[in-house]
Amino acid sequence: MAAHTLKGVAGNLGFSEIQKIGQRMVDNVRANIYDSLDEDFEKLKIEQKKVCELAKQL
């Protein structure tokens, strides 16, 4: 599952908000709860943009 990998990589890199979103996605999919995935994916895209902006400043 890609969300599980994302969660692990984000944790290794210190991206705690992305890790939390990934963990929530993994937990929900494992529990067969899919109604919040679109919202979580949108949050994930926002956090990804923040990381990209920070990387550009390096």
Coordinates of all heavy atoms in Angstrom, one line a residue:
M1 N 0.8 -1.2 0.0 CA 0.0 0.0 0.0 C 0.9 1.2 0.0 O 1.8 1.4 0.8 CB -0.9 0.0 1.2 CG -1.7 1.2 1.4 SD -2.6 1.4 3.0 CE -3.5 -0.1 3.0
A2 N 0.6 2.1 -0.9 CA 1.5 3.3 -1.1 C 1.4 4.2 0.1 O 2.4 4.9 0.5 CB 1.0 4.1 -2.3
A3 N 0.2 4.3 0.8 CA 0.1 5.2 2.0 C 1.0 4.7 3.1 O 1.6 5.5 3.8 CB -1.4 5.2 2.4
H4 N 1.2 3.4 3.2 CA 2.1 2.8 4.3 C 3.5 3.2 4.0 O 4.2 3.6 4.9 CB 1.9 1.3 4.3 CG 2.8 0.7 5.3 ND1 2.5 0.7 6.7 CD2 3.9 0.0 5.2 CE1 3.4 0.1 7.3 NE2 4.3 -0.4 6.5
T5 N 3.9 3.1 2.7 CA 5.3 3.5 2.4 C 5.5 5.0 2.6 O 6.5 5.4 3.1 CB 5.6 3.2 0.9 OG1 5.4 1.8 0.7 CG2 7.0 3.6 0.5
L6 N 4.5 5.8 2.2 CA 4.6 7.3 2.4 C 4.7 7.6 3.8 O 5.6 8.4 4.2 CB 3.3 7.9 1.8 CG 3.2 9.4 2.0 CD1 4.3 10.2 1.2 CD2 1.8 9.9 1.7
K7 N 3.9 6.9 4.7 CA 4.0 7.2 6.1 C 5.4 6.9 6.7 O 6.0 7.7 7.4 CB 3.0 6.3 6.8 CG 3.0 6.3 8.3 CD 2.1 5.3 8.9 CE 2.6 3.9 8.7 NZ 3.6 3.4 9.6
G8 N 6.0 5.8 6.2 CA 7.3 5.4 6.7 C 8.4 6.4 6.2 O 9.2 6.8 7.0
V9 N 8.4 6.7 5.0 CA 9.4 7.7 4.5 C 9.2 9.0 5.1 O 10.2 9.7 5.5 CB 9.3 7.7 2.9 CG1 10.1 8.9 2.4 CG2 9.6 6.4 2.3
A10 N 8.0 9.5 5.2 CA 7.8 10.8 5.9 C 8.3 10.8 7.3 O 8.9 11.8 7.7 CB 6.3 11.1 5.8
G11 N 8.1 9.7 8.0 CA 8.6 9.6 9.4 C 10.1 9.7 9.4 O 10.7 10.3 10.2
N12 N 10.7 8.9 8.5 CA 12.2 8.9 8.4 C 12.8 10.3 8.1 O 13.9 10.6 8.5 CB 12.7 7.9 7.4 CG 12.5 6.5 7.8 OD1 12.4 6.2 9.0 ND2 12.4 5.6 6.8
L13 N 12.1 11.1 7.3 CA 12.6 12.4 7.0 C 12.1 13.5 7.9 O 12.5 14.7 7.7 CB 12.1 12.8 5.5 CG 12.7 11.9 4.4 CD1 12.0 12.2 3.1 CD2 14.2 12.0 4.3
G14 N 11.3 13.2 8.9 CA 10.9 14.2 9.9 C 9.7 15.0 9.4 O 9.4 16.0 10.0
F15 N 8.9 14.5 8.4 CA 7.7 15.2 8.0 C 6.5 14.7 8.8 O 5.8 13.9 8.3 CB 7.5 15.1 6.5 CG 8.7 15.6 5.6 CD1 9.1 14.8 4.5 CD2 9.4 16.7 5.9 CE1 10.2 15.3 3.8 CE2 10.4 17.2 5.2 CZ 10.8 16.4 4.1
S16 N 6.4 15.2 10.0 CA 5.4 14.6 10.9 C 4.0 14.8 10.4 O 3.2 13.9 10.7 CB 5.6 15.2 12.3 OG 5.4 16.6 12.3
E17 N 3.6 15.9 9.8 CA 2.2 16.1 9.4 C 1.9 15.1 8.3 O 0.8 14.5 8.3 CB 2.0 17.5 9.0 CG 0.5 17.8 8.8 CD -0.3 17.6 10.0 OE1 0.2 17.8 11.2 OE2 -1.5 17.2 9.9
I18 N 2.8 14.9 7.3 CA 2.6 13.9 6.3 C 2.5 12.5 6.8 O 1.7 11.7 6.4 CB 3.7 14.0 5.2 CG1 3.6 15.4 4.5 CG2 3.6 12.9 4.2 CD1 4.7 15.7 3.5
Q19 N 3.4 12.2 7.8 CA 3.3 10.9 8.5 C 2.0 10.7 9.1 O 1.4 9.6 9.0 CB 4.4 10.8 9.5 CG 4.5 9.4 10.2 CD 5.6 9.4 11.2 OE1 6.0 10.4 11.8 NE2 6.0 8.2 11.5
K20 N 1.4 11.7 9.8 CA 0.1 11.6 10.5 C -1.0 11.3 9.5 O -1.9 10.5 9.7 CB -0.2 12.8 11.3 CG 0.6 12.9 12.6 CD 0.1 13.9 13.5 CE 0.4 15.3 13.0 NZ 0.0 16.4 14.0
I21 N -1.0 12.1 8.4 CA -2.0 11.9 7.4 C -1.9 10.5 6.8 O -2.9 9.8 6.6 CB -1.9 12.9 6.3 CG1 -2.1 14.3 6.8 CG2 -2.8 12.6 5.1 CD1 -1.7 15.5 5.9
G22 N -0.7 10.0 6.5 CA -0.4 8.7 5.9 C -0.9 7.6 6.9 O -1.5 6.6 6.5
Q23 N -0.6 7.8 8.2 CA -1.1 6.8 9.2 C -2.6 6.8 9.2 O -3.2 5.7 9.3 CB -0.5 7.2 10.6 CG -0.9 6.2 11.7 CD -0.3 4.8 11.4 OE1 0.9 4.7 11.3 NE2 -1.1 3.8 11.3
R24 N -3.2 7.9 9.2 CA -4.7 7.9 9.2 C -5.3 7.2 8.0 O -6.2 6.4 8.1 CB -5.2 9.4 9.3 CG -6.7 9.5 9.4 CD -7.1 10.9 9.7 NE -6.6 11.9 8.8 CZ -5.8 12.9 9.2 NH1 -5.4 13.1 10.4 NH2 -5.4 13.8 8.3
M25 N -4.6 7.4 6.8 CA -5.1 6.8 5.6 C -4.9 5.3 5.7 O -5.8 4.5 5.4 CB -4.3 7.3 4.4 CG -4.7 8.8 4.1 SD -3.6 9.5 2.8 CE -4.6 9.0 1.3
V26 N -3.8 4.8 6.2 CA -3.5 3.4 6.4 C -4.6 2.8 7.3 O -5.2 1.8 7.0 CB -2.1 3.1 6.9 CG1 -1.9 1.7 7.3 CG2 -1.1 3.5 5.8
D27 N -4.7 3.4 8.5 CA -5.7 2.9 9.5 C -7.1 2.8 8.9 O -7.8 1.8 9.1 CB -5.7 3.8 10.7 CG -4.4 3.7 11.5 OD1 -3.6 2.8 11.3 OD2 -4.2 4.6 12.3
N28 N -7.5 3.9 8.2 CA -8.9 3.9 7.6 C -9.0 2.8 6.5 O -10.1 2.1 6.5 CB -9.2 5.2 7.1 CG -9.5 6.2 8.2 OD1 -9.8 5.9 9.3 ND2 -9.4 7.5 7.9
V29 N -8.1 2.6 5.7 CA -8.2 1.6 4.7 C -8.2 0.2 5.3 O -9.0 -0.6 4.9 CB -7.1 1.7 3.6 CG1 -7.0 0.5 2.7 CG2 -7.2 3.0 2.8
R30 N -7.4 0.0 6.3 CA -7.4 -1.3 7.0 C -8.7 -1.6 7.6 O -9.1 -2.7 7.8 CB -6.3 -1.4 8.0 CG -4.9 -1.5 7.3 CD -3.8 -1.7 8.3 NE -2.5 -1.9 7.6 CZ -1.4 -1.7 8.2 NH1 -1.3 -1.3 9.5 NH2 -0.3 -1.9 7.5
A31 N -9.4 -0.5 8.1 CA -10.7 -0.7 8.7 C -11.9 -0.6 7.7 O -13.0 -0.5 8.1 CB -10.9 0.4 9.8
N32 N -11.5 -0.5 6.4 CA -12.5 -0.4 5.4 C -13.4 0.9 5.5 O -14.6 0.9 5.2 CB -13.5 -1.6 5.3 CG -12.7 -2.9 4.9 OD1 -11.9 -2.9 4.0 ND2 -13.0 -4.0 5.6
I33 N -12.7 1.9 5.9 CA -13.3 3.2 6.0 C -12.7 4.1 4.9 O -11.6 4.4 4.9 CB -13.1 3.9 7.3 CG1 -13.7 3.0 8.4 CG2 -13.7 5.3 7.4 CD1 -13.3 3.4 9.8
Y34 N -13.5 4.4 3.9 CA -13.0 5.1 2.7 C -13.6 6.6 2.6 O -13.1 7.3 1.7 CB -13.3 4.3 1.5 CG -12.8 2.9 1.5 CD1 -13.6 1.8 1.8 CD2 -11.4 2.7 1.3 CE1 -13.1 0.6 1.9 CE2 -10.9 1.4 1.4 CZ -11.8 0.3 1.7 OH -11.2 -0.9 1.7
D35 N -14.5 7.0 3.4 CA -15.2 8.2 3.2 C -14.3 9.5 3.4 O -14.6 10.5 3.0 CB -16.4 8.4 4.0 CG -16.2 8.2 5.5 OD1 -15.2 7.6 5.9 OD2 -17.1 8.5 6.3
S36 N -13.1 9.3 4.1 CA -12.3 10.4 4.4 C -11.0 10.5 3.5 O -10.2 11.4 3.6 CB -11.9 10.4 5.9 OG -11.1 9.3 6.1
L37 N -10.9 9.5 2.6 CA -9.7 9.4 1.8 C -9.5 10.7 0.9 O -8.4 11.1 0.8 CB -9.7 8.2 1.0 CG -9.4 6.9 1.7 CD1 -9.4 5.7 0.8 CD2 -8.0 6.9 2.4
D38 N -10.6 11.1 0.3 CA -10.4 12.3 -0.6 C -10.0 13.5 0.2 O -9.1 14.3 -0.2 CB -11.8 12.6 -1.2 CG -12.1 11.7 -2.3 OD1 -11.2 11.0 -2.9 OD2 -13.3 11.6 -2.7
E39 N -10.5 13.7 1.4 CA -10.1 14.8 2.3 C -8.7 14.7 2.7 O -7.9 15.6 2.7 CB -11.0 14.9 3.5 CG -10.7 16.0 4.4 CD -11.6 16.0 5.7 OE1 -12.7 15.5 5.6 OE2 -11.1 16.7 6.7
D40 N -8.3 13.5 3.1 CA -6.9 13.2 3.5 C -5.9 13.4 2.3 O -4.8 14.0 2.5 CB -6.7 11.8 4.1 CG -7.3 11.7 5.4 OD1 -7.5 12.7 6.2 OD2 -7.7 10.5 5.8
F41 N -6.3 13.0 1.1 CA -5.5 13.2 0.0 C -5.3 14.7 -0.3 O -4.2 15.1 -0.6 CB -6.0 12.5 -1.2 CG -5.1 12.5 -2.4 CD1 -3.9 11.8 -2.4 CD2 -5.4 13.2 -3.5 CE1 -3.1 11.8 -3.4 CE2 -4.5 13.3 -4.6 CZ -3.4 12.6 -4.6
E42 N -6.3 15.5 -0.2 CA -6.2 16.9 -0.3 C -5.3 17.5 0.7 O -4.4 18.4 0.4 CB -7.6 17.6 -0.3 CG -8.4 17.3 -1.5 CD -7.8 17.7 -2.8 OE1 -7.2 18.8 -2.9 OE2 -7.9 16.9 -3.7
K43 N -5.4 17.1 1.9 CA -4.4 17.6 3.0 C -3.0 17.2 2.7 O -2.1 17.9 2.9 CB -4.9 17.0 4.3 CG -6.1 17.6 4.9 CD -6.5 17.0 6.2 CE -7.8 17.5 6.7 NZ -8.3 16.9 7.9
L44 N -2.9 16.0 2.1 CA -1.5 15.5 1.8 C -0.9 16.3 0.7 O 0.3 16.7 0.7 CB -1.7 14.0 1.3 CG -0.4 13.3 1.1 CD1 0.5 13.2 2.3 CD2 -0.7 11.9 0.6
K45 N -1.7 16.7 -0.3 CA -1.2 17.6 -1.4 C -0.8 18.9 -0.9 O 0.2 19.5 -1.3 CB -2.3 17.7 -2.5 CG -2.5 16.5 -3.3 CD -3.3 16.7 -4.5 CE -4.6 17.4 -4.4 NZ -5.4 17.4 -5.6
I46 N -1.5 19.5 0.1 CA -1.1 20.8 0.7 C 0.2 20.6 1.4 O 1.1 21.5 1.3 CB -2.2 21.3 1.7 CG1 -3.5 21.7 0.9 CG2 -1.7 22.4 2.5 CD1 -4.7 21.9 1.7
E47 N 0.4 19.6 2.2 CA 1.6 19.4 2.9 C 2.8 19.1 1.9 O 3.9 19.6 2.2 CB 1.5 18.2 3.9 CG 0.6 18.5 5.0 CD 1.0 19.7 5.9 OE1 2.2 19.8 6.1 OE2 0.1 20.5 6.2
Q48 N 2.5 18.4 0.9 CA 3.6 18.2 -0.2 C 4.0 19.5 -0.8 O 5.2 19.7 -1.0 CB 3.0 17.2 -1.2 CG 4.0 16.8 -2.3 CD 3.8 17.6 -3.6 OE1 2.8 18.3 -3.8 NE2 4.9 17.7 -4.4
K49 N 3.1 20.4 -1.0 CA 3.5 21.7 -1.6 C 4.4 22.4 -0.6 O 5.3 23.1 -1.0 CB 2.2 22.5 -1.9 CG 1.5 22.0 -3.2 CD 0.3 22.8 -3.5 CE -0.4 22.3 -4.7 NZ -1.7 23.0 -4.9
K50 N 4.0 22.4 0.7 CA 4.9 23.0 1.7 C 6.3 22.5 1.7 O 7.3 23.3 1.8 CB 4.3 22.8 3.1 CG 3.0 23.6 3.3 CD 2.4 23.3 4.7 CE 1.1 23.9 5.0 NZ 0.6 23.5 6.3
V51 N 6.4 21.2 1.6 CA 7.7 20.5 1.6 C 8.5 21.0 0.4 O 9.7 21.3 0.4 CB 7.6 19.0 1.7 CG1 9.0 18.3 1.4 CG2 7.1 18.6 3.0
C52 N 7.9 21.0 -0.8 CA 8.5 21.5 -2.0 C 9.0 22.9 -1.9 O 10.1 23.2 -2.4 CB 7.6 21.3 -3.2 SG 7.4 19.5 -3.7
E53 N 8.2 23.8 -1.3 CA 8.6 25.2 -1.2 C 9.8 25.3 -0.3 O 10.7 26.1 -0.5 CB 7.4 26.0 -0.7 CG 6.3 26.2 -1.7 CD 6.8 26.9 -2.9 OE1 7.6 27.9 -2.8 OE2 6.4 26.5 -4.0
L54 N 9.8 24.5 0.8 CA 10.9 24.5 1.7 C 12.2 24.0 1.0 O 13.3 24.6 1.2 CB 10.7 23.7 2.9 CG 9.7 24.3 4.0 CD1 9.4 23.3 5.0 CD2 10.3 25.5 4.6
A55 N 12.1 23.0 0.2 CA 13.2 22.4 -0.5 C 13.8 23.4 -1.5 O 15.0 23.5 -1.7 CB 12.8 21.2 -1.2
K56 N 12.9 24.3 -2.1 CA 13.4 25.3 -3.1 C 14.2 26.3 -2.4 O 15.1 26.9 -3.0 CB 12.2 26.0 -3.7 CG 11.5 25.1 -4.8 CD 10.3 25.8 -5.3 CE 9.5 25.0 -6.2 NZ 8.3 25.7 -6.8
Q57 N 14.0 26.5 -1.1 CA 14.8 27.5 -0.3 C 16.2 27.0 0.0 O 17.0 27.9 0.5 CB 14.0 27.9 0.9 CG 12.7 28.6 0.6 CD 11.9 28.9 1.8 OE1 12.4 28.8 2.9 NE2 10.6 29.3 1.6
L58 N 16.5 25.8 -0.1 CA 17.8 25.3 0.2 C 18.9 25.6 -0.8 O 18.7 25.8 -1.9 CB 17.7 23.7 0.4 CG 16.8 23.2 1.5 CD1 16.7 21.7 1.5 CD2 17.2 23.8 2.9

